[in-house]
C-alpha cells in the first residue's frame, strides 16, 4: 500500500481543514500521516485551487512531468503517419489506425471511441499482437453474447493465427474452457455474474478488452462493480462507438475502470457536474469543463468517419411520409389525450424516462395497431411494401430496422420477399446463419433486425437502410443502425429511408433527437458551453411532441 501511495500520489503537508482540496479528483486526507494525498496525474488541479502549492519543489516537478506527458499525447494524436509493425496481423491498417496504435501502446489503458465502422476490433487485435511480441501472454475479451461468434471469433480467425477460446456451454464446460490455454479468451459480460468469476481470476490477464463498454456505464450495477473490483490487467481497452449516450456520468464509470484516480470518485465528480449545470455560462464553468475535457483526452481516442474516411461512399437521406389510417388516427388521438391529462397532473418536476415510456405507445400506434393489442391497417407496412417493390427488382440489398420484435414479425409476414431475420432473442448460431444468408444468398435481399440484435453487424453489402421507427437516442440510430452498412470496407453509396407518419410523434421527435445528438457530439468533440448539460424536457417540449393539429 505504501509503495502504491508513493507511486500514484503526492503527499501534501497542508492542514486537513483545507477542505477545498477535496475538489481535486481523487484527493483525500490520510489521518495516520496527517497529510493530504493528491493523485500525481491531478496535481495541476491542486495548483489551480491552492496557488501557494507552487512553493513545493516536488509539486512543481510533478506538474512539469504531467505537462510533458499531456504534450506527448497531443503530439501523438496529431501525427499524420507512423511506421509500426504488427507481427501476425493479416489485415493492413489504415494510417489513422497506426497513429492510434502507437498512442494506445503508450497509454496502456484506453477508451477507444471509434465511430461505428472504423475498425475498433481490428485496432484491438493489432494492440494485442504487438503486446504479445513484448511478452503479454493472454487476453480476456468481454463482450455482448451476440458478438462472441459473429465478431470476435470471425475476426480472430480471419486476421490472425492466434489461438482462442469462446467461453460458452454449461458451467462444467465453461470451467474446462477457462482452464484451456489460449491467447484469447472471449466471454460475454453476464458470465461475471454467474460462477465464472473465480476461473477468470485464476488467470493473470495481460490485456482486458471490454467491447461495447457502455455495459459498465452504470456505476451502481452489480456487474460494473464486479468487473472494476475483480478483473485487473496492466493493459486495457474499453471499446465503444457511442461512449456518451445520454449523460457524462456514464462516461465517468467507463474511465473509472481504466484509471480510478483520473476523474475522482463518482460522488465528487457528480458534485462538480452539478456546479457546471447550475452556472453553465460562467467563466469558472468554462474553465472546469476545459479541465475535464483535457483529462478525458489522456484516455480517449475519438475518430469520426468524416475525418478519417473522406473516400467513404456518400450517405443520403430520404423521408417517406404516410397518413395514419382512420383506426390508427382515432387510437392515436385518444392516446394523446390520456398522455396530456397525465402530464397536467404531474407538477413541474417530470422524470424524462417516465414520460418517454408513456410516449412509446404513440410510436407503436404510428407503426401498427397490433403493437398495442388492436387490429387495423398499418400504413407503414403498406408503404414499406411499396419501397421494397422499387428496390428489390434492381438486385440491391436492404436492411430494415425496428425497435419492436412484434413489428419485425409483422414486417416478415407482410412483405412478399423472403427475409433474413435478426432479433436479440436469437442464439449465436442462428444469428450467424441469418447474417451469412443475407451476405451470400443472391435471393435474400431483405434483412430485418431489431435494435437488440444490431450490435456487431457488418453488412457493407447493403445499399439501403430503412428506419421503420425512431429511437429516443440518436447516437444508436445513426451508429448502431446506419453504421451497419455505411462503414469501413463499404464501396457503394448508402440511402437511408425514414418512414414517418404525418402529424405524429414521428415528425416531432426529430427535435428531441437532434438536441440529444448535438449534446453527445459536444461532450466528445466540441463546444465547452454545452459540455455535460443533461437533457431535460419541459412540459412545453413534451406537449410539442404530441401535437395533433396536422393529423
Amino acid at each position: 500500500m505504501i509503495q502504491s501511495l508513493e507511486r500514484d500520489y503526492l503527499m501534501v503537508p497542508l492542514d486537513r481543514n483545507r477542505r477545498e482540496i477535496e475538489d481535486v479528483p481523487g484527493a483525500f486526507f490520510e489521518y495516520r500521516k496527517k497529510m493530504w494525498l493528491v493523485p500525481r496525474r491531478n496535481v495541476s488541479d491542486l495548483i489551480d485551487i491552492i496557488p501557494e502549492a507552487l512553493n513545493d519543489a516536488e509539486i512543481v516537478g510533478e506538474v512539469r512531468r504531467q505537462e510533458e506527458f499531456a504534450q506527448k499525447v497531443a503530439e501523438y494524436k496529431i501525427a499524420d503517419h507512423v511506421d509500426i509493425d504488427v507481427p501476425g496481423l493479416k489485415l493492413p491498417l489504415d494510417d489513422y489506425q497506426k497513429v492510434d496504435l502507437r498512442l494506445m501502446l503508450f497509454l496502456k489503458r484506453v477508451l477507444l471511441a471509434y465511430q461505428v465502422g472504423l475498425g475498433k476490433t481490428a485496432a484491438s487485435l493489432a494492440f494485442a499482437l504487438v503486446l504479445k511480441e513484448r511478452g503479454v501472454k493472454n487476453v480476456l475479451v468481454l463482450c455482448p453474447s451476440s458478438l462472441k461468434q459473429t465478431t470476435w471469433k470471425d475476426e480472430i480467425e480471419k486476421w490472425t493465427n492466434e489461438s482462442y477460446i469462446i467461453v460458452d456451454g454449461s458451467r462444467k464446460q465453461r470451467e474446462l474452457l477457462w482452464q484451456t490455454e489460449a491467447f484469447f479468451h472471449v466471454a460475454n459480460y453476464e458470465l461475471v455474474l454467474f460462477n465464472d468469476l473465480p476461473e477468470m481470476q485464476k488467470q493473470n490477464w495481460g490485456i482486458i478488452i471490454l467491447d461495447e463498454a457502455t455495459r459498465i456505464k452504470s456505476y451502481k450495477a452489480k456487474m460494473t462493480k464486479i468487473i472494476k473490483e475483480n478483473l485487473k490487467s496492466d493493459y486495457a481497452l474499453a471499446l465503444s462507438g457511442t461512449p456518451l449516450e445520454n449523460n457524462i456520468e456514464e462516461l465517468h464509470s467507463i474511465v473509472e475502470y481504466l484509471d480510478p484516480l483520473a476523474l475522482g470518485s463518482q460522488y465528487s465528480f457528480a458534485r462538480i457536474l452539478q456546479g457546471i449545470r447550475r452556472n453553465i455560462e460562467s467563466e469558472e464553468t468554462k474553465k472546469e469543463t476545459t479541465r475535464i475535457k483535457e483529462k478525458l483526452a489522456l484516455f480517449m481516442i475519438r475518430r469520426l468517419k468524416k475525418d478519417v474516411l473522406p473516400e467513404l461512399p456518400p450517405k443520403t437521406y430520404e423521408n417517406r411520409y404516410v397518413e395514419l389510417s382512420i383506426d390508427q388516427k382515432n387510437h392515436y388521438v385518444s392516446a394523446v389525450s390520456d398522455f396530456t391529462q397525465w402530464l397536467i397532473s404531474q407538477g413541474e418536476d417530470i422524470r424524462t424516462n417516465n414520460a418517454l415510456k408513456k410516449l412509446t405507445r404513440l410510436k407503436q400506434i404510428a407503426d401498427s395497431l397490433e403493437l398495442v393489442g388492436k387490429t387495423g391497417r398499418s400504413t407503414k407496412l403498406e408503404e414499406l411494401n411499396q419501397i421494397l417493390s422499387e428496390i428489390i427488382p434492381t438486385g440491391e440489398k436492404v436492411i430494415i430496422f425496428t425497435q419492436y420484435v412484434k413489428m419485425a414479425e409483422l414486417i416478415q409476414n407482410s412483405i412478399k420477399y423472403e427475409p433474413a431475420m435478426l432479433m436479440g432473442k436469437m442464439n449465436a448460431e442462428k444469428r450467424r446463419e441469418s447474417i451469412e444468408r443475407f451476405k451470400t444468398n443472391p435471393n435474400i435481399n431483405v434483412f430485418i433486425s431489431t435494435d437488440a440484435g444490431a450490435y456487431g453487424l457488418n453488412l457493407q453489402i447493403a445499399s439501403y437502410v430503412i428506419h421503420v421507427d425512431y429511437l429516443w437516442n440518436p447516437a444508436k440510430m445513426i451508429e448502431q443502425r446506419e453504421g451497419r452498412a455505411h462503414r469501413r470496407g463499404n464501396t457503394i453509396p448508402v440511402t437511408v429511408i425514414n418512414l414517418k407518419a404525418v402529424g405524429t410523434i414521428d415528425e416531432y421527435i426529430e427535435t428531441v433527437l437532434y438536441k440529444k445528438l448535438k449534446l453527445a457530439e459536444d461532450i466528445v468533440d466540441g463546444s465547452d458551453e454545452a459540455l455535460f448539460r443533461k437533457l431535460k424536457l419541459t412540459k412545453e417540449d413534451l406537449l410539442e411532441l404530441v401535437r395533433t393539429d396536422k393529423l
Side-chain angles (χ1 to χ4, degrees):
M1 178 62 179
I2 296 298
Q3 185 179 5
S4 175
L5 288 177
E6 292 176 351
R7 184 187 68 236
D8 297 331
Y9 291 87
L10 275 178
M11 300 182 187
V12 182
L14 291 173
D15 189 274
R16 72 184 180 92
N17 292 321
R18 299 295 297 268
R19 310 307 299 183
E20 65 268 37
I21 299 178
E22 291 180 345
D23 289 335
V24 178
F28 66 95
F29 191 78
E30 220 295 319
Y31 285 91
R32 289 176 300 174
K33 295 181 177 295
K34 297 182 179 179
M35 288 187 179
W36 284 93
L37 270 63
V38 176
R40 291 181 181 273
R41 68 167 60 258
N42 296 330
V43 70
S44 60
D45 295 338
L46 178 67
I47 302 302
D48 291 337
I49 295 170
I50 305 179
E52 64 263 31
L54 279 171
N55 297 326
D56 187 296
E58 186 179 7
I59 290 176
V60 172
E62 190 60 43
V63 168
R64 287 175 180 163
R65 280 189 289 274
Q66 295 302 325
E67 288 176 346
E68 289 170 0
F69 178 80
Q71 180 62 31
K72 192 165 187 177
V73 170
E75 290 173 358
Y76 275 12
K77 284 190 173 185
I78 63 174
D80 293 325
H81 178 76
V82 172
D83 288 321
I84 188 167
D85 183 43
V86 185
L89 186 67
K90 296 182 281 186
L91 169 72
L93 296 178
D94 290 331
D95 282 343
Y96 72 88
Q97 290 175 312
K98 293 178 182 178
V99 168
D100 293 344
L101 177 57
R102 179 178 67 164
L103 180 56
M104 290 158 64
L105 294 167
F106 175 67
L107 295 176
K108 297 185 177 181
R109 303 177 70 83
V110 176
L111 170 54
L112 190 60
Y114 279 5
Q115 190 175 12
V116 168
L118 291 185
K120 292 186 294 295
T121 307
S124 302
L125 293 176
F127 181 70
L129 291 175
V130 172
L131 288 174
K132 184 182 181 185
E133 287 293 302
R134 300 182 183 183
V136 166
K137 303 297 183 186
N138 54 15
V139 183
L140 171 63
V141 178
L142 289 180
C143 63
S145 181
S146 60
L147 302 190
K148 290 194 297 187
Q149 298 282 349
T150 55
T151 295
W152 284 97
K153 179 179 182 294
D154 288 354
E155 299 283 299
I156 293 170
E157 284 184 350
K158 187 174 183 179
W159 303 122
T160 82
N161 294 316
E162 296 301 328
S163 57
Y164 66 88
I165 294 292
I166 306 297
V167 182
D168 215 339
S170 67
R171 177 181 175 183
K172 188 65 176 176
Q173 288 171 324
R174 297 198 308 271
E175 186 176 327
L176 293 174
L177 290 173
W178 284 117
Q179 295 169 9
T180 302
E181 188 173 333
F183 186 58
F184 290 99
H185 274 77
V186 182
N188 51 299
Y189 282 100
E190 290 77 13
L191 294 185
V192 303
L193 299 175
F194 300 151
N195 299 301
D196 294 55
L197 185 61
E199 293 298 330
M200 292 184 191
Q201 290 178 294
K202 289 178 183 177
Q203 304 273 6
N204 184 23
W205 300 109
I207 307 169
I208 294 179
I209 299 174
L210 304 183
D211 195 2
E212 299 298 345
T214 49
R215 289 295 183 96
I216 63 165
K217 67 185 180 182
S218 173
Y219 72 95
K220 293 181 179 179
K222 182 179 179 182
M223 183 165 64
T224 300
K225 292 178 180 178
I226 290 174
I227 289 173
K228 290 179 179 179
E229 293 172 4
N230 297 281
L231 296 181
K232 310 294 182 182
S233 63
D234 289 335
Y235 297 88
L237 295 178
L239 312 181
S240 181
T242 55
L244 305 156
E245 293 189 328
N246 290 329
N247 62 67
I248 192 63
E249 287 93 337
E250 296 174 355
L251 180 61
H252 175 276
S253 180
I254 298 172
V255 171
E256 187 177 52
Y257 171 74
L258 299 170
D259 186 338
L261 303 178
L263 300 178
S265 69
Q266 195 279 334
Y267 172 77
S268 64
F269 191 68
R271 192 178 69 235
I272 292 171
L273 290 182
Q274 189 176 31
I276 289 174
R277 290 167 180 147
R278 208 167 30 233
N279 305 289
I280 194 70
E281 301 297 335
S282 71
E283 288 303 314
E284 184 59 33
T285 287
K286 293 178 181 180
K287 187 176 179 180
E288 190 65 61
T289 54
T290 297
R291 182 186 296 127
I292 294 173
K293 199 171 182 182
E294 288 172 349
K295 290 180 182 298
L296 292 177
L298 300 179
F299 293 91
M300 184 163 64
I301 300 176
R302 177 68 168 166
R303 293 285 189 180
L304 301 177
K305 289 177 186 174
K306 63 182 177 66
D307 298 326
V308 298
L309 292 181
E311 73 282 6
L312 198 66
K315 179 172 63 172
T316 57
Y317 288 86
E318 176 185 338
N319 292 326
R320 297 287 284 260
Y321 293 94
V322 300
E323 296 275 356
L324 292 181
S325 68
I326 294 175
D327 286 339
Q328 282 179 297
K329 190 175 297 186
N330 290 337
H331 284 289
Y332 190 88
V333 170
S334 176
V336 167
S337 177
D338 290 342
F339 174 77
T340 303
Q341 292 177 28
W342 170 82
L343 187 61
I344 292 171
S345 70
Q346 289 304 295
E348 292 304 316
D349 189 18
I350 304 166
R351 292 184 64 85
T352 302
N353 287 343
N354 289 346
L356 295 181
K357 286 177 182 178
K358 293 180 179 295
L359 290 168
T360 295
R361 184 175 179 86
L362 298 179
K363 292 169 64 180
Q364 291 173 326
I365 292 171
D367 274 5
S368 171
L369 287 174
E370 292 194 42
L371 299 185
V372 294
K374 309 295 182 180
T375 58
R377 287 174 54 214
S378 167
T379 52
K380 280 193 179 181
L381 289 177
E382 293 171 1
E383 181 65 18
L384 184 59
N385 270 292
Q386 176 60 35
I387 293 170
L388 294 179
S389 70
E390 297 168 8
I391 297 172
I392 302 305
T394 68
E396 295 178 280
K397 289 182 180 278
V398 183
I399 308 172
I400 301 171
F401 278 107
T402 176
Q403 65 186 117
Y404 308 114
V405 172
K406 178 66 175 176
M407 191 63 182
E409 293 169 344
L410 291 173
I411 295 169
Q412 179 186 22
N413 293 330
S414 71
I415 64 176
K416 60 183 179 181
Y417 305 99
E418 181 183 355
M421 300 286 292
L422 186 61
M423 292 181 278
K425 63 183 181 182
M426 293 174 65
N427 63 39
E429 188 57 37
K430 287 186 177 180
R431 172 188 169 93
R432 188 186 184 93
E433 289 174 1
S434 189
I435 293 170
E436 284 305 307
R437 285 179 67 222
F438 181 66
K439 286 182 174 181
T440 61
N441 190 328
N443 297 317
I444 304 296
N445 292 324
V446 179
F447 191 92
I448 303 171
S449 179
T450 61
D451 296 290
Y455 284 105
L457 281 179
N458 298 320
L459 299 176
Q460 297 96 325
I461 195 172
S463 51
Y464 286 85
V465 174
I466 300 177
H467 298 301
V468 174
D469 39 54
Y470 274 94
L471 299 175
W472 297 119
N473 187 330
K476 286 185 177 179
M477 195 147 158
I478 294 170
E479 305 290 341
Q480 298 301 341
R481 285 183 172 185
E482 297 166 22
R484 300 302 119 202
H486 195 249
R487 62 191 297 120
R488 186 171 180 265
N490 178 282
T491 58
I492 52 179
V494 173
T495 299
V496 178
I497 298 176
N498 300 309
L499 278 181
K500 296 184 180 182
V502 175
T504 72
I505 196 169
D506 284 354
E507 288 197 82
Y508 307 125
I509 198 176
E510 283 197 75
T511 304
V512 179
L513 290 177
Y514 288 159
K515 284 181 181 177
K516 292 177 75 176
L517 178 57
K518 181 64 169 66
L519 175 65
E521 287 178 342
D522 283 339
I523 293 171
V524 179
D525 303 305
S527 167
D528 290 337
E529 285 76 14
L531 202 67
F532 310 134
R533 183 185 297 170
K534 230 176 186 178
L535 176 68
K536 291 185 178 180
L537 298 179
T538 64
K539 282 189 176 181
E540 290 72 23
D541 294 326
L542 294 170
L543 289 172
E544 182 69 17
L545 281 173
V546 299
R547 288 169 50 191
T548 58
D549 54 300
K550 291 184 180 180
L551 276 177

